[in-house]
Amino acid sequence: MKTDRDKGKASRGVATAEKNISLTVNGKPYELMVGKDVNPDHTLAYTLRETLGYTGTKIACDHGSCGACTVLMDGEAVLSCTMLTVECDGKKITTIEGLENRETGGLHPLQQAFIDNTAFQCGFCTPGIIMSAKALLDKNPSPTEEDIKQELAGHYCRCVSHYLVVKAILSLAEKGR
Amino acid sequence: MGGEYRHIGKATPRKDARAIVTGKAEYIDDMKLSGMLYGKVLRSPYPHARIKNIDTAKAEAYPGVKAVLTYKNAPGWMAGVPYHRPVLDSTVRFVGDAVALVAAETEETADEALELLEVEYEQLPAVYDMEEAARPGAPQLHERIPGNVFPRGFRSIGEKALQELVMGDVEKGFSEADIIEEATCAYENIPNPLPPEPPGVIATWEDPEHLTLYTASQSAPMNRNFAQPALGLVDIRVIGMQCGGSYGTKNANFIPMAHAAALAKAAGRPVKVYFSKEEHFNAYTLRLGSRIHARIGIKKDGTVTALQGEWFVDTGAVSEMAQVQVAVGLGETQLLIRCPNWNMQPTLVCTNRSPSGVVRGFGGQELNCALLPLITVVMEKADLDPVDFFKKNYMAPGAGFYWRDGIWRDYRGIDFSKAIDKGAEVFGWKDKWKGWNKPTVVNGAKRIGVGVGLHGNADIGEDESEANVKLSPDARAVVYSCVSESGMGERSALCKMAAEVLNLPLDRVNITPADTLVNPFEFGLVGSRGTYAVGSAVIEAAEDARRQLLELAAPVLGVKPEELDTKDGAIFAKNNPQKKIAWYKAMGIARTITGQGRFETDFSLCNCMIIFAEVEVDTETGKAELLRVVASTDCGQIIDPLVLEGQLHGSLGSAGIDTAIFEETVLDKDTGHIMNCNMIDYKWRTFADLPKFESIMLETPVESHRFKAIGVGEIAPAPGPGAVLMAINNAIGKRIMTYPATPDKILKALGRI
């Protein structure tokens, strides 16, 4: 059986490398030192969760096949478990924690639509789905049902909240028309 | 729906909704305790081997490592009946079985230390087929399970636990039958329910007698209730975190709980054990394998006269409670088929693969799905419409059944015919059903077929629950109930029930964390028991609190308690609503009121789910595509329509309906390795592949509790696989008797390969 143990190997012997990675997360700038804050094998998902404390981003498969770790990078939905933090220098990241209105604390309309439609059950896949939905609506404010399904096709939801998720996003899409 | 109630029956935001959509909901991997170490498991590359030697010296000396455990120094805690599952053992019994444990300062250090462990194995012969395993001369897995066949019985569900289904006289029954058929059918794809969140536990010892567990469990208290005897009755406090999906698989969780607790004890610090997705695939709960050799006799009108057979149940290398699943399975099959003459003999077997365990469907889905192809054959021979057959045979008033404790119950619930008829009507069954082996539509190489399945469970009133409801003078209420949240919205449902009784706005009612230190006894959130069993305890506690409140108000208002009512934190005379006081005037500001409630087991009610499926089969490629599902139930009273709808949609998830088409764990029977142990090779339904789904939720009042409701969530997937297989068979005009109906099986049935 394969294990994740190979991950650890790469981290040895890089502690002396000195380079800063600049990241902006939810509008807040971070300077991360390679070898200290970030190892070359750290994924963006790991850095967000373990180093910076943005635990709203979930890791499920850790192999880029379930969508749970989706965040926005310069506005695009990306799988943060498949990106190395050292490759993200200068990037602007938005996580689920960055969706509320920073001044009023009010919810993003997508978050409200998910609440109104109970578009989740266990909620573990929800942050990733909301981030993909945001990327979609930012590009296309009035997607069709089919657009939504295609955009979310990489998101694993095992409770099967798919139908209520589509309904929640459609409720906003209709407002966008 | 919900017309007569203020909260019940209405769609209300889940109590944890804001936390979930903002990422603040705290799951087990989001939590860090001060000084917490990371526990990792060295896993066996072999399906069966004896550990000849294990050298831990290098791992122990590695900087950052705080504990290394092997079978030599692990605590002697044991699980299973009989005890056969230790924390660690000198024999490994499946690929992925635990060999050794390491706790270290970081995950990376723990992973690196695993590589420094030097293990010498002596490989042993392995056995993967359940019937082979039960034959004389087969490789033996456990000394305590001679012949690889588990002894019957499980005392905690009663001395007479249902371990065979014997009643009436099967020979007489067969002599009365017009049609008798015999077949071997199998539901042994051992799919993985695969919640998105892997299993995980954090364990910390306050002192040698007090263990605290933080767990991602759907039933946090089970960790205490089940593990306390195994751990020498130390005091276990369990705190349930937000659970990222369970579908039965995260309940008592002996492993990884025992691994985390053992490492924490050895290291003297808190330890988190959190599986990777690969470990989740290779070393965590699969569905039971189920195979029957059975014979059924029916009359031409669909009356079942006899059912006789052997039921082989494969639980993999170990089992925590499969005997209970066997008992519940034998119970649930009597709900599906009313028959006076039974002889169903189960054989529970262990084999050298990753363990099966508790999964949504809990034995019943496994048995009924295996039986359905055989039932299909007799229905066809008698030319019976399956909807009529199910309606005639499903549990109804006047009938009864032996439940898991081996005791007969007269059924006192509702007739589900209405839900069956309504489902058939919405689906358009009469138009689509063209008879057995006949497609509904033929469109070139593509053929559409229809099928129907049905399932029920009498565990909706299983086991005991206690709850308290505390009222405070500021007109707020707190429900004390040890219920975790794993997606069913039960914590919110319980708040709604209390708010309804107390006539408070919903935001005035809260619920305690699922913490066994704070809350009264709770069994756990299993078997759809939340609505009736847990709900009854909460309702009783709320009523008790309300009664005490009105008694305190009576002398202040000069009105008898029974003439008083309360709404929105005011108490008033029913015949003179102007005569009112606030709660705090009745209670004073330095007092709380606590009402108590308790529910005792009641197995005399059951639920019912019917699934109609329309499937298109491409006869050239063999691909089956699910086009449409109609799911119908009668739940007495809806608590929350959106939550219930979500539960019904769940029939597509958690190793449910798709186990008839593509979901399976593929075991290489030469090496014992799982071949599809990742989320690319293990197939799952995506947003882009959704069938049309219609939910029917009827509300015929049930004599359960004050709100006349029963739960139904657990069984949503169970009727699906049989319905889909039936639809495929009708589409292609050929019979497939095992699941899943993958393209190769379909093309073989069609004679194409």
Side-chain angles (χ1 to χ4, degrees):
Chain A
M1 165 188 171
K2 286 190 294 178
T3 75
D4 283 346
R5 274 182 283 145
D6 292 344
K7 254 186 171 177
K9 280 182 187 166
S11 65
R12 287 180 223 162
V14 295
T16 54
E18 276 188 28
K19 183 180 179 330
N20 281 358
I21 301 291
S22 302
L23 272 188
T24 306
V25 183
N26 302 333
K28 193 173 170 187
Y30 291 94
E31 289 291 316
L32 301 169
M33 191 184 285
V34 176
K36 181 173 168 281
D37 306 311
V38 177
N39 285 342
D41 66 326
H42 283 178
T43 62
L44 177 60
Y46 180 91
T47 299
L48 287 171
R49 287 179 52 82
E50 302 296 329
T51 311
L52 305 179
Y54 294 100
T55 53
T57 300
K58 301 300 172 208
I59 298 176
C61 77
D62 210 11
H63 284 80
S65 42
C66 76
C69 65
T70 302
V71 298
L72 302 187
M73 179 182 281
D74 296 338
E76 296 284 334
V78 298
L79 297 169
S80 63
C81 82
T82 61
M83 323 213 60
L84 295 173
T85 308
V86 291
E87 296 175 320
C88 298
D89 190 24
K91 301 292 186 189
K92 286 194 176 65
I93 309 295
T94 308
T95 71
I96 190 76
E97 290 95 337
L99 288 194
E100 286 154 274
N101 184 309
R102 249 172 267 156
E103 277 150 32
T104 65
L107 293 174
H108 187 277
L110 256 173
Q111 293 172 312
Q112 192 60 49
F114 272 61
I115 293 178
D116 294 343
N117 288 280
T118 311
F120 48 79
Q121 290 178 48
C122 79
F124 199 79
C125 63
T126 310
I129 289 176
I130 290 180
M131 297 318 288
S132 277
K134 177 163 193 316
L136 172 68
L137 290 175
D138 285 349
K139 269 182 268 178
N140 175 5
S142 51
T144 64
E145 184 173 332
E146 196 50 36
D147 293 337
I148 295 167
K149 287 178 178 173
Q150 288 302 329
E151 183 73 17
L152 298 180
H155 287 272
Y156 179 74
C157 164
R158 194 60 157 173
C159 301
V160 186
S161 287
H162 305 61
Y163 295 92
L164 295 175
V165 164
V166 171
K167 198 173 145 204
I169 301 171
L170 266 180
S171 73
L172 296 177
E174 277 150 17
K175 282 180 197 157
R177 282 204 183 97
Chain B
M1 62 187 84
E4 58 185 299
Y5 297 119
R6 179 173 176 181
H7 307 296
I8 301 287
K10 305 210 160 64
T12 54
R14 279 237 317 246
K15 283 275 178 188
D16 51 357
R18 191 178 174 113
I20 284 176
V21 303
T22 55
K24 292 188 181 78
E26 199 176 23
Y27 298 83
I28 189 81
D29 198 37
D30 303 336
M31 182 166 194
K32 279 189 183 124
L33 294 183
S34 171
M36 188 180 84
L37 303 172
Y38 295 83
K40 292 281 174 183
V41 186
L42 181 70
R43 297 194 173 277
S44 168
Y46 302 117
H48 200 187
R50 196 175 64 81
I51 299 171
K52 279 170 73 179
N53 191 36
I54 182 161
D55 187 343
T56 57
K58 285 182 196 158
E60 278 166 11
Y62 195 63
V65 171
K66 298 295 168 190
V68 179
L69 293 176
T70 69
Y71 71 93
K72 293 176 189 167
N73 59 344
W77 309 325
M78 298 282 264
V81 172
Y83 277 150
H84 65 285
R85 182 168 211 189
V87 181
L88 291 168
D89 204 349
S90 57
T91 300
V92 284
R93 297 179 177 84
F94 64 95
V95 173
D97 203 354
V99 174
L101 310 174
V102 169
E105 297 281 1
T106 68
E107 272 189 275
E108 287 170 357
T109 306
D111 278 329
E112 286 159 12
L114 291 183
E115 286 190 67
L116 301 174
L117 291 165
E118 289 167 9
V119 190
E120 250 184 278
Y121 297 94
E122 178 194 346
Q123 290 195 59
L124 301 171
V127 62
Y128 306 107
D129 182 86
M130 55 184 115
E131 286 183 75
E132 274 175 37
R135 284 187 198 122
Q140 297 292 296
L141 272 78
H142 300 274
E143 260 177 44
R144 293 185 181 190
I145 305 173
N148 299 325
V149 175
F150 282 80
R152 288 179 171 183
F154 202 89
R155 209 182 297 162
S156 67
I157 59 165
E159 294 293 337
K160 294 196 292 180
L162 193 63
Q163 297 292 288
E164 59 177 18
L165 186 52
V166 178
M167 71 170 118
D169 177 346
V170 284
E171 287 316 316
K172 184 169 159 282
F174 282 121
S175 72
E176 291 163 4
D178 297 321
I179 298 151
I180 297 172
E181 284 292 333
E182 197 170 339
T184 292
C185 322
Y187 185 58
E188 52 183 295
N189 14 343
I190 51 169
N192 196 321
L194 203 69
E197 175 198 47
V201 174
I202 298 171
T204 180
W205 292 82
E206 317 299 339
D207 62 52
E209 294 302 315
H210 295 87
L211 170 66
T212 300
L213 298 171
Y214 297 84
T215 175
S217 171
Q218 76 179 59
S219 302
M222 271 197 191
N223 285 270
R224 175 180 164 89
N225 304 345
F226 280 72
Q228 227 161 355
L231 268 61
L233 295 174
V234 298
D235 186 23
I236 304 177
R237 174 187 182 186
V238 188
I239 300 168
M241 310 293 293
Q242 191 92 23
C243 173
S246 169
Y247 327 116
T249 64
K250 298 172 187 164
N251 270 302
N253 287 15
F254 181 73
I255 307 278
M257 181 279 287
H259 288 170
L263 283 170
K265 199 177 182 84
R269 283 167 63 176
V271 173
K272 181 198 283 181
V273 170
Y274 187 62
F275 281 28
S276 70
K277 198 47 88 175
E278 278 166 308
E279 289 177 295
H280 195 172
F281 269 110
N282 282 291
Y284 204 65
T285 312
L286 303 174
R287 209 178 257 298
L288 292 167
S290 170
R291 188 188 298 169
I292 60 147
H293 306 294
R295 196 165 162 237
I296 184 170
I298 68 168
K299 287 183 182 289
K300 280 182 186 152
D301 67 355
T303 305
V304 181
T305 61
L307 221 163
Q308 179 181 35
E310 286 179 281
W311 178 27
F312 282 91
V313 181
D314 172 13
T315 186
V318 292
S319 167
E320 284 177 33
M321 56 168 79
Q323 292 97 332
V324 186
Q325 292 171 273
V326 166
V328 171
L330 292 172
E332 287 181 12
T333 206
Q334 299 165 75
L335 303 179
L336 179 70
I337 301 165
R338 263 187 277 160
C339 169
N341 306 300
W342 286 89
N343 188 355
M344 183 61 77
Q345 295 292 337
T347 304
L348 176 62
V349 181
C350 51
T351 58
N352 289 108
R353 61 147 177 94
S354 177
S356 293
V358 178
V359 178
R360 192 176 184 178
F362 200 72
Q365 178 169 334
E366 288 86 345
L367 178 53
N368 283 354
C369 284
L371 269 175
L372 204 88
L374 169 63
I375 297 168
T376 301
V377 175
V378 278
M379 286 194 278
E380 182 195 326
K381 284 277 156 72
D383 199 23
L384 290 167
D385 182 322
V387 173
D388 297 335
F389 178 88
F390 286 136
K391 217 158 83 180
K392 185 181 179 69
N393 281 290
Y394 193 69
M395 188 48 53
F401 49 86
Y402 286 100
W403 199 244
R404 66 175 203 198
D405 52 5
I407 295 170
W408 179 265
R409 297 295 186 319
D410 290 321
Y411 174 62
R412 61 175 191 88
I414 58 171
D415 185 330
F416 289 99
S417 298
K418 222 164 47 171
I420 299 173
D421 288 340
K422 187 70 186 166
E425 183 198 318
V426 169
F427 185 75
W429 177 260
K430 283 212 170 90
D431 294 332
K432 292 176 188 290
W433 168 253
K434 305 294 181 193
W436 290 101
N437 296 315
K438 290 180 185 139
T440 306
V441 175
V442 177
N443 184 8
K446 290 185 175 173
R447 296 182 196 174
I448 292 173
V450 294
V452 57
L454 190 148
H455 195 90
N457 180 7
D459 268 346
I460 54 176
E462 70 170 297
D463 300 297
E464 291 76 23
S465 282
E466 291 174 355
N468 295 336
V469 169
K470 183 180 80 179
L471 310 183
S472 53
D474 58 345
R476 291 179 191 274
V478 178
V479 176
Y480 284 68
S481 166
C482 204
V483 165
S484 334
E485 182 56 72
S486 62
M488 295 88 97
E490 189 59 34
R491 290 170 57 79
S492 305
L494 297 172
C495 289
K496 284 172 92 160
M497 293 184 204
E500 193 73 48
V501 171
L502 298 164
N503 209 351
L504 283 173
L506 199 48
D507 63 6
R508 290 254 152 188
V509 181
N510 214 331
I511 184 165
T512 51
D515 181 341
T516 58
L517 186 70
V518 174
N519 294 303
F521 180 84
E522 171 54 41
F523 181 76
L525 214 52
V526 294
S528 298
R529 67 185 292 282
T531 302
Y532 176 31
V534 189
S536 293
V538 170
I539 292 165
E540 190 180 299
E543 287 172 341
D544 184 29
R546 181 181 180 277
R547 181 187 53 75
Q548 294 179 51
L549 174 72
L550 300 186
E551 278 171 6
L552 281 174
V556 183
L557 282 164
V559 178
K560 287 182 188 161
E562 56 273 22
E563 290 163 7
L564 292 173
D565 201 352
T566 175
K567 187 184 181 191
D568 293 338
I571 302 158
F572 56 91
K574 279 189 246 183
N575 62 0
N576 180 13
Q578 298 308 315
K579 194 168 187 177
K580 65 174 180 180
I581 51 170
W583 282 17
Y584 72 87
K585 290 277 189 191
M587 296 170 69
I589 56 166
R591 181 196 299 272
T592 54
I593 290 171
T594 299
Q596 293 185 317
R598 181 175 162 86
F599 176 81
E600 302 285 352
T601 301
D602 172 17
F603 289 131
S604 61
L605 294 174
C606 71
N607 56 13
C608 180
M609 265 288 294
I610 308 110
I611 282 187
F612 294 87
E614 192 169 337
V615 181
E616 183 183 75
V617 181
D618 185 326
T619 56
E620 280 176 0
T621 64
K623 188 188 174 210
E625 190 182 342
L626 183 59
L627 300 179
R628 182 169 173 237
V629 174
V630 171
S632 182
T633 190
D634 194 335
C635 63
Q637 164 69 51
I638 294 169
I639 306 297
D640 188 296
L642 289 175
V643 168
L644 179 57
E645 202 181 340
Q647 291 283 287
L648 266 50
H649 292 158
S651 62
L652 297 177
S654 59
I657 216 166
D658 289 327
T659 57
I661 309 179
F662 54 76
E663 254 199 59
E664 56 181 332
T665 295
V666 182
L667 187 72
D668 178 346
K669 292 191 173 174
D670 290 320
T671 64
H673 283 251
I674 291 172
M675 305 300 286
N676 57 340
C677 54
N678 60 69
M679 292 190 66
I680 299 286
D681 295 321
Y682 190 93
K683 296 301 172 200
W684 44 276
R685 188 171 286 280
T686 76
F687 272 87
D689 303 309
L690 294 179
K692 188 169 183 225
F693 199 109
E694 290 142 278
S695 305
I696 296 158
M697 307 177 288
L698 302 185
E699 297 179 282
T700 307
V702 187
E703 287 309 314
S704 55
H705 54 50
R706 160 176 183 152
F707 301 121
K708 313 283 184 200
I710 51 173
V712 73
E714 186 237 343
I715 59 163
V724 168
L725 194 67
M726 188 190 290
I728 292 171
N729 288 352
N730 287 331
I732 64 174
K734 304 281 178 195
R735 273 194 211 123
I736 294 170
M737 304 292 270
T738 61
Y739 303 77
T742 43
D744 57 318
K745 278 192 205 163
I746 289 174
L747 292 175
K748 208 175 275 174
L750 286 166
R752 296 276 169 94
I753 56 169

